[in-house]
């Protein structure tokens, strides 16, 4: 293990310093054999991303293929319920059902400009794998997705989707056979195929420059929010922006263009699972300590001797023992407020949104909605919630939960 970076100057909320640090978190802690790939990416990503031709193709695909801009919807009945003004950013209406397609399009286009012919990815619930396989089909690229054997069992529809899209899904059979093991397999693949392969990471995690690159690709979310809110209310700044956090990519995208507007209170919502102190949780800022996970220094749920603790959340997308370094910095600096919602609270919030607005949210997004109960709103406040994905993939969980949800209203 070598550390090519050091935390000297501190970076900003929006951007890490040149070594990839947001405050005390970030960097690139990678095996020496990955050094060349990560350096190539670091040297070229900004130049490629902001080329005119790249931007044109990226924006065109976001518009015509993913379906952007996604609407900003005033949720009237939900607003009445909380005696305030709540807008939903409808990332659930993107092609493939979540915000992940924004990043998948961006990284695949970037990989092509790096001359890569082969795309690899890791996936937990399968949403990032599906988004990546989708863009690879569109571009005619080979796609290999690593997925824990246990997750393949649990998420069969997404495995089938990836296969239909032409991707090869390779089971990770070591360890707990879940996301962390799939990530290890993807890294091993990249080490063995350094020349022709790009590794598409699905959140604002991993070694620098991934967190910054993914945040920039997802920042289209807050760029649109500002324009849309200005049109609707005459003011581009809300009082609150709320989003759920697994690794933190939808939250990074939703916060990005508000980070320097200090009047906007940013609220990140983690998965408390069965309760923060239940031993079955994924509330990283509440339970984690500084440590290195998947290539960067951040807050990590770990034992006394630094072993990663298995997280738990009812929502596969939030079931991650770490958090991106950008968010670790937002937490430590106090720029964002971190709340958490339990499995049960998320289920209740999902049923509530469905009943109040006719929108079935992803279980991940339901965590952000659940945190509404912990907020103290004024009737004039304006809040935007990032509805990161749709709930179709979670229907079997919702159906099992139906009996515990109180009727009436
Ligand atoms: C993957 C996923 C998440 C969690 O990932 P982040 O990187 O934290 O955004 C949240 N919501 C949905 C719908 C997802 O698919």
């Amino acid at each position: 293990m070598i550390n090519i970076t050091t935390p000297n100057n501190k970076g900003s909320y929006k951007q890490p310093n040149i070594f990839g640090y947001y405050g005390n978190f970030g960097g690139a802690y990678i095996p020496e054999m990955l050094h060349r790939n990560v350096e190539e990416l670091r040297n070229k990503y900004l130049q490629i991303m902001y080329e005119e031709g790249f931007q044109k193709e990226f924006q065109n695909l976001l518009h015509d293929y993913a379906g952007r801009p996604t609407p900003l919807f005033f949720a009237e009945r939900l607003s009445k319920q909380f005696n305030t003004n709540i807008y939903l950013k409808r990332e659930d209406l993107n092609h493939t059902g979540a915000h992940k397609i924004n990043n998948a399009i961006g990284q695949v286009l970037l990989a092509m400009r790096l001359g890569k012919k082969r795309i690899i990815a890791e996936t937990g619930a399968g949403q990032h794998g599906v988004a990546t396989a989708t863009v690879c089909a569109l571009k005619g690229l080979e796609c290999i997705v690593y997925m824990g054997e246990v997750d393949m069992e649990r998420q069969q529809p997404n495995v089938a989707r990836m296969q239909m899209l032409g991707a090869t899904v390779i089971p990770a059979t070591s360890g707990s056979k879940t996301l962390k093991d799939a990530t290890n397999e993807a890294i091993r693949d990249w080490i063995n195929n350094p020349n022709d392969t790009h590794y598409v990471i699905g959140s604002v995690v991993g070694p620098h420059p991934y967190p910054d690159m993914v945040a920039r690709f997802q920042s289209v979310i807050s760029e649109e929010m500002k324009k849309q809110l200005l049109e609707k209310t005459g003011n581009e700044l809300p009082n609150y922006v709320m989003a759920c956090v697994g690794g933190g990519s939808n939250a990074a995208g939703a916060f990005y263009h508000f980070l320097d507007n200090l009047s906007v209170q940013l609220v990140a919502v983690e998965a408390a699972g069965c309760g923060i102190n239940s031993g079955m949780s994924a509330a990283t800022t509440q339970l984690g300590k500084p440590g290195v996970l998947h290539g960067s220094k951040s807050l990590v749920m770990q034992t006394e001797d630094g072993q990663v603790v298995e997280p738990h959340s009812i929502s596969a997308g939030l079931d991650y023992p770490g958090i991106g370094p950008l968010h670790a910095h937002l937490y430590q600096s106090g720029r964002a407020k971190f709340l958490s919602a339990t499995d049960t609270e998320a289920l209740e919030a999902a049923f509530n949104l469905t009943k109040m607005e006719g929108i079935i949210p992803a279980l991940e997004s339901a965590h952000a909605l659940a945190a509404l109960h912990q907020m103290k709103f004024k009737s004039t406040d304006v809040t935007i919630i990032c509805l990161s994905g749709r709930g179709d993939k979670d229907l079997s969980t919702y159906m099992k939960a139906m009996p515990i949800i109180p009727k009436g209203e």
Side-chain angles (χ1 to χ4, degrees):
M1 194 83 103
I2 54 166
N3 174 13
I4 59 166
T5 63
T6 44
N8 53 3
N9 82 60
K10 294 286 185 178
S12 71
Y13 291 123
K14 225 183 214 166
Q15 278 160 37
N17 70 14
I18 60 163
F19 303 108
Y21 277 86
Y22 301 88
N24 299 313
F25 302 106
Y29 297 79
I30 50 173
E32 196 162 349
M33 313 228 356
L34 277 186
H35 189 240
R36 233 180 67 207
N37 300 35
V38 174
E39 267 301 284
E40 181 187 29
L41 199 59
R42 186 168 80 94
N43 286 328
K44 296 188 179 158
Y45 80 109
L46 288 175
Q47 189 198 330
I48 293 175
M49 280 178 73
Y50 293 100
E51 263 166 26
E52 209 181 303
F54 181 95
Q55 276 299 321
K56 202 165 163 220
E57 191 176 2
F58 181 51
Q59 299 299 337
N60 275 341
L61 285 178
L62 288 181
H63 187 271
D64 294 345
Y65 190 68
R68 304 203 72 91
T70 59
L72 184 71
F73 175 66
F74 179 61
E76 196 175 335
R77 297 186 67 215
L78 190 70
S79 296
K80 283 221 179 79
Q81 196 179 20
F82 288 92
N83 191 27
T84 189
N85 303 286
I86 300 170
Y87 290 82
L88 303 175
K89 182 58 172 162
R90 299 289 310 274
E91 293 302 297
D92 60 315
L93 294 178
N94 278 314
H95 182 40
T96 69
H99 66 292
K100 291 210 169 69
I101 192 82
N102 305 327
N103 171 54
I105 292 173
Q107 280 199 51
V108 168
L109 293 184
L110 193 133
M112 291 172 77
R113 279 164 176 78
L114 289 171
K116 311 289 180 179
K117 308 255 178 304
R118 189 172 167 272
I119 298 294
I120 60 172
E122 85 297 334
T123 198
Q127 293 297 106
H128 171 56
V130 167
T132 306
T134 296
V135 185
C136 287
L138 177 72
K139 289 294 175 186
L141 294 177
E142 184 184 0
C143 179
I144 290 109
V145 180
Y146 290 93
M147 189 168 185
E149 204 171 35
V150 168
D151 289 337
M152 285 180 72
E153 269 309 294
R154 290 193 287 202
Q155 311 286 338
Q156 281 174 6
N158 275 343
V159 175
R161 264 180 212 118
M162 288 185 270
Q163 288 168 339
M164 184 161 173
L165 288 159
T168 307
V169 183
I170 302 184
T173 56
S174 62
S176 56
K177 304 181 173 59
T178 57
L179 177 59
K180 154 174 77 57
D181 313 289
T183 304
N184 292 337
E185 292 297 325
I187 289 171
R188 198 163 307 152
D189 180 312
W190 209 21
I191 288 172
N192 290 328
N193 299 283
N195 294 321
D196 66 341
T197 298
H198 175 71
Y199 178 14
V200 178
I201 293 182
S203 190
V204 285
V205 299
H208 179 61
Y210 279 99
D212 184 44
M213 179 171 66
V214 177
R216 285 169 191 265
F217 284 138
Q218 293 292 1
S219 70
V220 62
I221 299 174
S222 49
E223 194 183 316
E224 291 174 4
M225 282 177 176
K226 273 192 161 173
K227 273 194 213 130
Q228 292 168 323
L229 195 66
L230 179 65
E231 268 168 30
K232 286 176 196 299
T233 69
N235 184 351
E236 64 172 15
L237 300 182
N239 299 89
Y240 299 94
V241 178
M242 300 175 71
C244 66
V245 177
S249 67
N250 89 88
F255 294 170
Y256 198 86
H257 290 288
F258 298 110
L259 283 167
D260 297 330
N261 298 117
L262 298 181
S263 71
V264 180
Q265 170 98 62
L266 308 172
V267 182
V269 186
E270 296 180 300
C274 303
I276 286 176
N277 297 313
S278 65
M280 290 186 70
S281 162
T284 304
T285 59
Q286 306 308 307
L287 299 168
K289 291 196 273 307
V292 171
L293 179 67
H294 296 147
S296 65
K297 186 174 176 205
S298 191
L299 292 169
V300 182
M301 287 167 48
Q302 53 190 306
T303 59
E304 290 287 313
D305 56 349
Q307 295 298 310
V308 174
V309 171
E310 282 296 324
H312 164 81
S313 167
I314 192 169
S315 116
L318 303 184
D319 202 350
Y320 185 67
I323 187 173
L326 160 70
H327 293 292
H329 182 49
L330 293 181
Y331 173 73
Q332 197 176 64
S333 64
R335 175 65 188 95
K337 192 184 175 89
F338 280 71
L339 302 175
S340 66
T342 63
D343 292 352
T344 309
E345 289 165 345
L347 285 169
E348 282 169 358
F351 279 89
N352 185 59
L353 185 76
T354 305
K355 205 166 47 187
M356 299 300 272
E357 301 290 347
I359 298 170
I360 301 177
L363 259 170
E364 291 83 2
S365 323
H367 285 72
L369 295 160
L372 282 170
H373 292 284
Q374 299 167 44
M375 305 291 291
K376 295 219 165 18
F377 293 120
K378 291 201 279 265
S379 62
T380 51
D381 281 344
V382 171
T383 296
I384 303 179
I385 299 180
C386 186
L387 203 71
S388 55
R390 68 177 84 127
D392 308 32
K393 67 185 178 60
D394 299 312
L395 270 187
S396 66
T397 309
Y398 288 149
M399 279 157 68
K400 274 184 224 137
M402 213 87 87
I404 70 161
I405 301 303
K407 295 232 165 57
E409 190 73 35

